[in-house]
Amino acid sequence: MHIADQIDDLTVPDDVVLFRTATRRFALNAHLASWTLLTAEQDALLCDLARGVRPQVSGSGPFPTERDLDRALAHLVLNYLVYLPGWTPGEIAPQPRLNVVYYAITDGCNLRCPYCYDSSLRKLPGELKHEESMLLMEQIAATDAKTVVFTGGEPMMRRDLFDVVRRARELGLKTNIISNGTYIRTAEIAETMAEIFDRVTISVDGGTMERHEATRGKGTFAKVIRGLTLLNAAGVTPVINHVITSDNVDHMNEVAALGDRFRIKHIRVQHHSDLGRGKDDNLSFEWEDYLKTDTFMWTEPTAKYLIDDSLKAVKPCNIKGNCGMGGNEIYVNSLGSVYPCKLVTGLGELAGNIRETPLDQLFEAPNMKELRDSSVFGGSVHTDCERCYIKGACGGGCRAFHMARSGDLRRNSRALCRILRHSQISTIWRALGADRDLIQDPGAFIPIRPGDGSVHPAYEDWRGEQALTLLPIVGVSA
């Protein structure tokens, strides 16, 4: 049987949208995160099917034979832009198993970064003692998690760090560390890190002393460069974390150049947020800053070293239901308190403390279950995502970053959604082989519904949020 024989019973899902430029076009099924390039004929066929118009086989038309029509239909069906009779996607529900536990082994830190999400300063009274940290490693292993990430504060300020890490490895856990790099002072320390850590991540705020020390403090650039040099000499290929702000976005080339200077896995680019001290640091990351990062990704050769946290679907059908908090990752702070994410540590999100309840039981706490069971396909945390045209690939974005802007973990920031959508479509165009000139076309980022040719209503919903921020305050006297 040919697909064309079933044409009257084919369906175009409501989640499909089109992106068109003067020369190229692609279609995206938001539900399944499926996307593919279309010819003009396939585009027109998809629109006809969405409108209930039966395509004609004609020697003078786009489909001269039944075989030509069948091939075009097959392309749409195989890429989930059209469903065969009786077929619909099964339920897509996140069923995450715990994979990563972040452990802030101390809140003490030798730096005072203005945007620190943890507001780290000094070691807190009551931090887990050596024996308790060792027991925590056993509890993590008992959950069948695969990896523990040691963070802080600055984890290398904890004198027994390496002993705790070695215990984790004895228990079969992979071990990673996120550090500011200033305590990697000797070849011996770097060699030990090469031995006991599967991944080393070093935070760098700029590729020059001036840029880095503007947020990290005097003398820190030489120390982090020394640390990276020693790590490379010890055989470590680290990851670099870099926070982009309105102050340093014009200097991305400097930090990207570190990829030429050192042997690194990649530079992980994170956007500034108003979490922790970031709320009062007078730094920001807005739409105009994002556009600069997007331009850099398209135009600069050294961008090959960068991975932008906002960029997602490199391959079609890579469905992401949520960000993973409370599901495949959780956070244990220096006091033993357990939260769904290292960025979400309010009292309302506290699951409990390992001094009172084993970690595997805390993983089953009601607040954890609510967060991991919710997804862009349904649930209390992602109701704002259900009608979005990139939901299956985006997974709702970082809930903490939404919360920093909206004030509510369960409400989206439309300004952040605007960035997420543009970056998603930009990434897809790049994966499809587009060049920079093509995405200058105004239609490259406008989602069109094939049924009626209208712009998807979510496309400009950020304007409503912007309008709310501009409303005057009524009824308040000076």
Side-chain angles (χ1 to χ4, degrees):
M1 177 181 289
H2 297 289
I3 298 175
D5 296 334
Q6 308 172 72
I7 199 163
D8 291 332
D9 297 315
L10 300 176
T11 57
V12 177
D14 292 338
D15 284 334
V16 169
V17 289
L18 291 156
F19 297 88
R20 299 177 176 132
T21 71
T23 58
R24 302 181 78 180
R25 63 205 66 212
F26 78 84
L28 166 67
N29 180 337
H31 192 79
L32 296 178
S34 175
W35 41 267
T36 187
L37 282 173
L38 299 180
T39 64
E41 293 77 17
Q42 292 164 346
D43 182 331
L45 175 60
L46 180 63
C47 292
D48 281 346
L49 293 173
R51 292 193 295 264
V53 176
R54 184 183 179 92
Q56 299 298 312
V57 175
S58 169
S60 60
F63 308 111
T65 68
E66 289 281 353
R67 185 176 182 182
D68 294 319
L69 175 58
D70 217 52
R71 284 176 173 172
L73 289 170
H75 182 73
L76 301 179
V77 169
L78 290 172
N79 288 283
Y80 300 104
L81 303 176
V82 171
Y83 296 160
L84 291 172
W87 190 88
T88 56
E91 181 181 358
I92 302 175
Q95 297 178 336
R97 54 170 298 177
L98 182 59
N99 185 44
V100 179
V101 177
Y102 286 83
Y103 172 37
I105 195 166
T106 182
D107 261 60
C109 188
N110 59 321
L111 305 185
R112 298 294 181 266
C113 303
Y115 53 76
C116 178
Y117 68 83
D118 197 44
S119 301
S120 297
L121 291 169
R122 301 173 183 83
K123 176 183 176 181
L124 297 178
E127 290 186 350
L128 296 183
K129 298 176 182 178
H130 174 77
E131 295 77 12
E132 292 174 310
S133 292
M134 293 295 219
L135 179 60
L136 173 59
M137 296 304 106
E138 295 178 12
Q139 292 192 22
I140 293 173
T143 67
D144 289 329
K146 303 299 182 186
T147 303
V148 56
V149 180
F150 292 88
T151 181
E154 170 47 51
M156 294 188 70
M157 289 184 69
R158 177 83 177 241
R159 293 183 178 181
D160 62 346
L161 169 67
F162 291 170
D163 291 333
V164 177
V165 175
R166 287 189 177 96
R167 178 56 180 151
R169 295 182 70 83
E170 289 173 1
L171 294 164
L173 292 165
K174 291 185 176 181
T175 52
N176 300 349
I177 186 172
I178 302 174
S179 169
N180 63 39
T182 60
Y183 282 89
I184 308 173
R185 296 168 173 163
T186 67
E188 181 182 2
I189 292 173
E191 289 163 2
T192 300
M193 295 179 74
E195 173 192 345
I196 66 174
F197 287 112
D198 294 282
R199 172 170 288 192
V200 175
T201 298
I202 303 297
S203 298
V204 180
D205 280 359
T208 66
M209 181 176 69
E210 176 187 8
R211 205 68 52 204
H212 181 82
E213 295 186 359
T215 51
R216 298 257 156 183
K218 186 176 180 179
T220 56
F221 186 68
K223 292 177 181 178
V224 76
I225 293 300
R226 176 192 61 197
L228 291 169
T229 302
L230 289 170
L231 287 171
N232 273 185
V236 176
T237 303
V239 172
I240 289 177
N241 273 358
H242 176 65
V243 176
I244 297 184
T245 72
S246 51
D247 276 12
N248 67 18
V249 68
D250 292 320
H251 303 276
M252 290 180 65
N253 60 311
E254 296 171 356
V255 74
L258 294 174
D260 288 327
R261 184 173 177 181
F262 296 100
R263 187 179 68 254
I264 61 172
K265 290 184 183 294
H266 57 259
I267 299 170
R268 181 182 175 220
V269 173
Q270 302 163 284
H271 302 165
H272 177 276
S273 75
D274 290 344
L275 296 167
R277 284 200 292 264
K279 184 177 181 180
D280 302 310
D281 66 357
N282 296 318
L283 298 173
S284 63
F285 185 88
E286 302 301 336
W287 174 249
E288 293 75 15
D289 303 314
Y290 159 72
L291 290 179
K292 291 179 180 179
T293 68
D294 189 59
T295 298
F296 187 89
M297 292 292 189
W298 278 90
T299 59
E300 296 297 327
T302 53
K304 65 184 179 182
Y305 298 118
L306 306 184
I307 294 180
D308 190 329
D309 260 8
S310 71
L311 303 182
K312 309 292 180 183
V314 177
K315 296 180 180 179
C317 296
N318 184 17
I319 301 172
K320 186 174 182 180
N322 57 35
C323 66
M325 68 174 181
N328 56 27
E329 70 173 59
I330 60 173
Y331 171 65
V332 183
N333 75 4
S334 63
L335 304 175
S337 296
V338 178
Y339 297 90
C341 170
K342 64 183 182 296
L343 304 179
V344 180
T345 55
L347 287 176
E349 309 306 332
L350 174 64
N353 192 286
I354 64 159
R355 284 170 165 152
E356 301 166 357
T357 308
L359 187 62
D360 58 351
Q361 294 182 30
L362 294 177
F363 183 68
E364 300 300 331
N367 68 315
M368 294 284 204
K369 190 173 188 307
E370 178 198 11
L371 293 173
R372 65 174 171 265
D373 286 350
S374 179
S375 81
V376 294
F377 307 108
S380 61
V381 184
H382 296 84
T383 55
D384 287 348
C385 299
E386 292 176 8
R387 69 189 188 104
C388 180
Y389 56 86
I390 66 162
K391 61 183 180 183
C394 171
C398 173
R399 300 315 307 171
F401 275 45
H402 279 298
M403 178 182 68
R405 289 174 175 261
S406 71
D408 187 339
L409 189 68
R410 292 156 180 78
R411 296 308 306 267
N412 286 8
S413 159
R414 297 306 185 186
L416 179 57
C417 287
R418 185 188 186 193
I419 291 173
L420 291 170
R421 290 168 185 154
H422 190 282
S423 66
Q424 184 76 73
I425 303 309
S426 181
T427 307
I428 293 175
W429 275 122
R430 195 151 46 236
L432 290 170
D435 57 26
R436 176 67 180 170
D437 290 339
L438 182 137
I439 64 116
Q440 297 301 308
D441 189 306
F445 295 93
I446 300 176
I448 302 298
R449 288 175 152 178
D452 59 10
S454 65
V455 175
H456 193 286
Y459 175 61
E460 291 194 321
D461 60 7
W462 59 273
R463 294 187 183 277
E465 181 173 288
Q466 184 183 53
L468 286 174
T469 63
L470 298 176
L471 284 175
I473 299 175
V474 179
V476 178
S477 59

